[in-house]
Amino acid sequence: MKSPIRVAVTGAAGQIGYSLLFRIASGAMFGPDQPVILQLIEAPIEKALKALEGVAMELDDCAFPLLHGIVQTSDPAIGFKDANWCLLIGAKPRGPGMERADLLKDNGRIFTAQGKIIDEVAAADARVAVVGNPANTNCMIAASHAKRLPADRFTAMVRLDQNRAQSQLAKKAGVPLAAVQNIFIYGNHSPTMFPAFAQATIGGKPAPAVIPDLAWLQGSFCETVGKRGAAIIAARGASSAASAANALVDHVRSLVTPGAIHSVAVKSNGAYGFDANVWAGVPVRTTTPGSYEILTGHAMDDFAKSKLAATNKELTDERALVAELLG
Ligand code: NAX
């Protein structure tokens, strides 16, 4: 049996947390032979901490053999202590009438503090995955406050968008999901993201050859993927949770599986014309567990270039709005 790894999860009593923790503890994220210690972090609010107690009780009641311990805390210094993976889900939601700039700043303050404390107390091999929105910019802020951990340890999740795009293409083509490959998400986790359909393959053929409907690919496909979160809120009365948790399982599982090729928001370093200092969705290949290289060889046509420019502009605008919070 391997020795357990420590997995810190913020927002652990929230709706994504409730769909996520049981899958981590069952082995879906790190594999069936990897024990875990869950370090659950909640906001210092009585109701949230009480809910967290209930979640921990349910985790106990699952009797997962791989779950070697549960920490419950509202103190990030305890929650992130020696963590090998830090899954940052907790964030302030956008309230009625709240400006996006205020949301960026309020969350920026949370991720400033978390970036600092993770850098101080997490394990030397710590990896960070950000889900809390605005995920790309929150991730950039947290990374900017880390002096010990390099920037490439900080990733943000665009895997839900990739999964959504894969599913839409499979439905349209009338093929099983696994027939759709190489569909990658570029840019921000927001409606400006670009699901690069021209690079995707369906049954080994270019997607536009199998779906010869450019108007659909450029229009309704991109729009459905980009606005899927809002469509789910409209239908369900609550934001995507189970699919977001599932995507985080996929995000981390792919990052610990050498050879996996998948979409992750990482420090762009100028890839695909993104501003070098923003965190943008790009295709990566996992090299060794937890490490990756950006795949830079994909050609972009004029339509793709215009989409990339738009999502890059949104990321640089967000960066400008939080400039005072960057370390
Ligand atoms: P919930 O409101 O159900 O849960 C959030 C939890 O975080 C709450 O229990 C809250 O007490 C806790 N929290 C708040 N601030 C905290 C802090 N500083 N430290 C620790 N815990 C804190 O939201 P949920 O539906 O779980 O969504 C969480 C975040 O994921 C939101 O920001 C949401 O926008 C984002 N999403 C990101 C997605 C992505 O693909 N990147 C998709 C799904 C989701 O919308």
Side-chain angles (χ1 to χ4, degrees):
M1 191 57 115
K2 295 180 182 170
S3 49
I5 58 168
R6 293 179 177 274
V7 184
V9 182
T10 70
Q15 52 154 6
I16 294 176
Y18 193 68
S19 287
L20 177 74
L21 300 174
F22 302 87
R23 297 194 59 200
I24 302 176
S26 73
M29 186 176 270
F30 295 102
D33 59 348
Q34 178 58 66
V36 294
I37 295 170
L38 286 173
Q39 306 193 157
L40 308 179
I41 307 170
E42 254 302 337
I45 300 167
E46 202 185 326
K47 199 171 161 220
L49 290 169
K50 194 80 192 147
L52 187 61
E53 266 179 43
V55 175
M57 282 153 72
E58 284 203 77
L59 282 164
D60 281 343
D61 295 350
C62 291
F64 288 119
L66 290 172
L67 184 55
H68 283 210
I70 303 174
V71 173
Q72 298 173 53
T73 184
S74 59
D75 180 351
I78 295 171
F80 292 121
K81 180 88 180 114
D82 298 329
N84 306 100
W85 276 87
C86 303
L87 309 179
L88 307 187
I89 301 169
K92 183 168 177 174
R94 189 169 180 170
M98 191 177 178
E99 293 295 329
R100 187 167 168 79
D102 294 331
L103 179 77
L104 279 159
K105 284 184 187 155
D106 283 356
N107 276 306
R109 282 185 266 278
I110 294 175
F111 285 81
T112 295
Q114 292 184 350
K116 282 182 186 161
I117 196 83
I118 288 169
D119 198 47
E120 280 167 27
V121 305
D125 71 350
R127 263 72 182 171
V128 180
V130 177
V131 173
N133 280 321
N136 300 51
T137 293
N138 288 341
C139 188
M140 171 185 71
I141 292 170
S144 79
H145 291 282
K147 306 295 168 231
R148 175 179 61 119
L149 300 173
D152 63 5
R153 301 286 188 84
F154 291 76
T155 61
M157 187 173 93
V158 289
R159 185 58 171 266
L160 180 53
D161 312 304
Q162 178 184 310
N163 289 349
R164 287 167 170 169
Q166 186 180 7
S167 173
Q168 292 299 316
L169 289 176
K171 269 196 179 177
K172 179 76 173 176
V175 298
L177 207 82
V180 178
Q181 295 293 319
N182 298 322
I183 176 71
F184 302 121
I185 302 297
Y186 291 82
N188 206 0
H189 169 67
S190 84
T192 69
M193 83 186 72
F194 179 50
F197 53 81
Q199 298 159 16
T201 57
I202 302 180
K205 298 188 192 118
V210 181
I211 304 173
D213 183 349
L214 197 57
W216 181 83
L217 288 166
Q218 292 186 343
S220 142
F221 167 66
C222 289
E223 198 165 310
T224 300
V225 176
K227 297 187 177 165
R228 188 68 161 182
I232 287 167
I233 293 175
R236 205 173 85 86
S239 57
S240 10
S243 56
N246 177 68
L248 185 57
V249 170
D250 288 346
H251 173 106
V252 175
R253 188 85 189 118
S254 292
L255 277 174
V256 296
T257 306
I261 293 178
H262 50 118
S263 310
V264 182
V266 300
K267 183 167 192 274
S268 90
N269 291 324
Y272 293 102
F274 284 111
D275 181 286
N277 292 311
V278 300
W279 262 246
V282 286
V284 307
R285 180 193 292 110
T286 301
T287 50
T288 55
S291 300
Y292 55 84
E293 60 189 4
I294 298 179
L295 297 176
T296 53
H298 294 295
M300 297 289 173
D301 60 17
D302 286 346
F303 178 77
K305 282 181 190 157
S306 73
K307 298 296 264 184
L308 260 54
T311 194
N312 181 54
K313 178 169 186 316
E314 186 179 49
L315 286 166
T316 53
D317 286 351
E318 287 185 10
R319 189 177 159 84
L321 278 169
V322 299
E324 84 248 27
L325 296 176
L326 293 169

